[in-house]
Amino acid sequence: MAEAILSGGGDDAPAVYHGSALLTHGELRAAAGDWHFRLRERGLSLGDRVGIISENGPFFIAAYLGAIRAGLCAVPMPVDCADATFERIVASTGMKYLIVSARLQPRIQPFAERLGLPLESETDAPPRAGRGMFPAVEVNPTRDLAAIMYTSGSTGDVKGVMVTHRNIAVNTEDILSYMRLGPDDRAMTVLPFYYCFGTSLLHTLLTVGGSLVVNNRFLFPEKVLDEMEERRCTGLAGVPATYQILLRKTHFARRKFPALRWLQQAGGRLPNPLIREIRQSLPEAKLFIMYGQTEATARLSYLPPELLDEKLGSIGRGLPHTRLEVLRPNGSPIEPGTDEVGEIAAGGENITPGYWNDPEETARYFRDGRLFTGDMARIDADGFIYIVERARDFIKAMGHRVGPKEIEETLAEMPDVVEAAVIGVPDELCGEAVAAFVVAVRPGQLTADAVREHCMKKLPNYKIPKRVEFLPSLPKTGNGKVDKPALRKLP
């Protein structure tokens, strides 16, 4: 698969913009080829696990593609990986080698040395010119692993998802089939590459000879927009928090991006009011609402932009290589066009083999050749799927089964709210009470009473937040999703 990604663009065509630096496709091929050579030179062989800890940039891309091209299994890890998690991943994967960026080396090297793990930094040995490209190592695409991608479980513990070369090839093909990307496409990239949504951008844009504009400074979102305009980016991809921050904390809705033709959103449910705001602000850009999981390589479905009005709130239908079904607990499919709710199950060549070194969790979610997603949904008469809620996120309040999504969407309607998350908290009277955690545009000006008053106009009494707390920001996982387990731990 790495061979197809690396061969996408001409030698002089831009591949990666990173600050003032530009890496062409030819230079990327040379750098990845050098990593291929040096990793094999270190005695690593087919299937050996190689860790990568690096910020987004040319270094990560070259090391990642070089490792895969050498027949090794890349293990990208979060840059803020806790020490205990780092040690657990190293031990669980039987990691043979570690590649670390220069900035992170001082923190990581002592732990690697204590574990006896060989480490190489970008400062250790620059790429050797003139080596040329060695033939890619032959792999079994359906059996051999290209990567182990880590994702958070329901308890916040990380699980390693095994991704084969065929998984990546099929999912990349499907994404390209509806995105229709080409060599002139240039994507603003703010999602980390250790996250499957971020790596899917890397796979797709480079395969077609396009380019990535890497910006690791989303703490300054207006600067990201400046670079989007300056680089004439044709696309932007983000999770819900990305767009919530851009709409509430920047001039995104009032700026003009003449080259922008598409937006991708995945990684959770973007509230309908914000979808409408984006479309009103950027009517010329096609907004692709997508659904996926790391366990499915990246993508499972998308909603065609032309159906956003008609099917607002839907995740669309399965991709060409993906069969999506909504199933009852007994495994029988729910008939389209009813209000019955079931669990989304997915089958296809993009479904990964399961979790690394975790047969119990694999057996729990991967059954009968399908991935059981844990997302509860209904299906309309046209076969379009609407997620109701994550099974584990339902709140049992006053005898009612309450889905946080509806309350979060109601809160998102308030122009003074940047983002909000809703969970259930123990309550002696109600069993569970609705708790809303809110980030305000102007801290100190929005009150809990105002939040509850707005909800009372839209929702029944049992869905009104009993507890409203204001936070400077919502806790996030490394890939930008709201960390609800962390919210549940708040006093």
Side-chain angles (χ1 to χ4, degrees):
M1 184 58 207
E3 195 77 349
I5 297 170
L6 285 166
S7 62
D11 281 350
D12 296 328
V16 185
Y17 293 90
H18 185 215
S20 60
L22 167 63
L23 191 75
T24 67
H25 279 271
E27 290 168 336
L28 175 58
R29 278 190 282 273
D34 184 74
W35 274 110
H36 171 179
F37 182 88
R38 69 170 75 178
L39 289 170
R40 299 293 290 193
E41 193 178 44
R42 304 298 189 264
L44 299 170
S45 57
L46 180 66
D48 283 344
R49 274 74 65 199
V50 176
I52 304 174
I53 304 182
S54 170
E55 313 88 335
N56 282 10
F59 174 74
F60 178 102
I61 297 171
Y64 169 77
L65 294 176
I68 293 174
R69 193 174 186 276
L72 308 174
C73 175
V75 186
M77 288 186 278
V79 295
D80 58 352
C81 188
D83 298 342
T85 301
F86 169 74
E87 292 188 22
R88 186 157 64 85
I89 291 174
V90 170
S92 170
T93 59
M95 192 176 292
K96 295 289 185 67
Y97 210 74
L98 182 64
I99 300 169
V100 184
S101 68
R103 187 177 72 85
L104 298 174
Q105 182 180 3
R107 181 173 71 85
I108 298 298
Q109 187 157 356
F111 295 101
E113 289 176 350
R114 181 157 52 84
L115 297 172
L117 179 64
L119 176 148
E120 188 159 350
S121 169
E122 62 183 312
T123 60
D124 290 340
R128 299 183 195 173
R131 273 185 174 170
M133 289 290 279
F134 293 86
V137 172
E138 188 173 341
V139 298
N140 182 320
T142 60
R143 184 190 64 206
D144 291 331
L145 300 184
I148 298 174
M149 304 295 293
Y150 275 85
T151 182
S152 295
S154 59
T155 62
D157 294 333
V158 295
K159 296 182 289 187
V161 177
M162 299 183 288
V163 183
T164 69
H165 293 261
R166 180 62 179 164
N167 291 151
I168 295 174
V170 166
N171 211 226
T172 298
E173 178 184 335
D174 279 355
I175 295 170
L176 290 175
S177 73
Y178 67 81
M179 287 300 303
R180 302 187 184 280
L181 302 174
D184 293 331
D185 273 294
R186 182 169 297 162
M188 170 53 70
T189 309
V190 297
L191 300 171
F193 289 143
Y194 60 76
Y195 170 38
C196 70
F197 192 0
T199 45
S200 76
L201 292 174
L202 186 160
H203 299 151
T204 51
L205 268 295
L206 297 181
T207 294
V208 297
S211 56
L212 302 165
V213 178
V214 173
N215 191 307
N216 298 324
R217 301 177 299 161
F218 199 71
L219 285 174
F220 307 97
E222 201 77 57
K223 296 292 186 183
V224 173
L225 298 182
D226 290 342
E227 187 170 19
M228 268 183 64
E229 189 174 354
E230 176 190 343
R231 298 289 189 194
R232 297 188 58 80
C233 291
T234 63
L236 168 69
V239 295
T242 308
Y243 292 103
Q244 289 167 315
I245 290 170
L246 290 178
L247 286 168
R248 296 290 184 258
K249 292 286 193 179
T250 74
H251 296 99
F252 181 63
R254 298 192 293 276
R255 295 182 65 152
K256 302 299 180 185
F257 304 95
L260 191 66
R261 71 175 191 87
W262 55 262
L263 301 165
Q264 295 183 39
Q265 186 271 311
R269 180 79 174 85
L270 183 65
N272 290 343
L274 300 186
I275 292 176
R276 294 191 189 98
E277 282 189 43
I278 292 171
R279 296 191 66 223
Q280 290 168 1
S281 304
L282 298 166
E284 302 303 318
K286 292 182 177 181
L287 175 58
F288 290 85
I289 300 296
M290 309 181 301
Y291 168 69
Q293 292 192 345
T294 306
E295 293 85 345
T297 306
R299 202 69 57 243
L300 284 164
S301 71
Y302 83 103
L303 181 65
E306 62 271 19
L307 295 180
L308 271 172
D309 289 332
E310 181 184 350
K311 303 291 185 180
L312 186 64
S314 172
I315 62 168
R317 294 182 288 201
L319 301 184
H321 286 91
T322 304
R323 182 185 180 191
L324 281 189
E325 298 177 286
V326 181
L327 304 179
R328 299 184 180 95
N330 65 7
S332 63
I334 286 175
E335 294 298 321
T338 69
D339 288 330
E340 192 175 356
V341 173
E343 183 178 2
I344 299 175
E349 291 184 276
N350 60 315
I351 305 303
T352 63
Y355 301 113
W356 174 267
N357 204 23
D358 197 340
E360 289 186 9
E361 284 292 279
T362 297
R364 181 181 176 189
Y365 290 101
F366 296 82
R367 307 190 302 273
D368 304 321
R370 290 179 290 195
L371 166 67
F372 286 77
T373 65
D375 287 321
M376 308 304 291
R378 60 183 179 83
I379 183 168
D380 74 9
D382 299 318
F384 286 81
I385 295 173
Y386 294 75
I387 292 178
V388 176
E389 202 60 67
R390 292 289 291 174
R392 60 176 174 262
D393 285 345
F394 279 108
I395 302 166
K396 295 177 182 177
M398 300 172 64
H400 297 274
R401 201 163 181 247
V402 177
K405 181 168 71 72
E406 181 184 8
I407 306 169
E408 290 167 352
E409 293 225 347
T410 301
L411 295 171
E413 294 173 354
M414 301 182 72
D416 291 330
V417 170
V418 177
E419 55 181 341
V422 170
I423 62 171
V425 295
D427 184 87
E428 289 185 5
L429 180 63
C430 304
E432 276 192 306
V434 175
F437 296 85
V438 178
V439 178
V441 175
R442 291 173 292 277
Q445 295 192 22
L446 185 63
T447 66
D449 286 343
V451 169
R452 278 190 280 265
E453 184 178 343
H454 174 78
C455 290
M456 286 176 188
K457 297 175 183 177
K458 307 277 186 173
L459 301 170
N461 182 56
Y462 61 87
K463 293 183 180 180
I464 307 303
K466 185 174 182 179
R467 172 181 170 187
V468 178
E469 289 200 23
F470 294 95
L471 299 175
S473 61
L474 296 180
K476 303 286 197 325
T477 62
N479 53 34
K481 296 181 183 180
V482 175
D483 189 348
K484 287 196 173 182
L487 288 176
R488 294 186 180 98
K489 293 177 183 177
L490 293 179

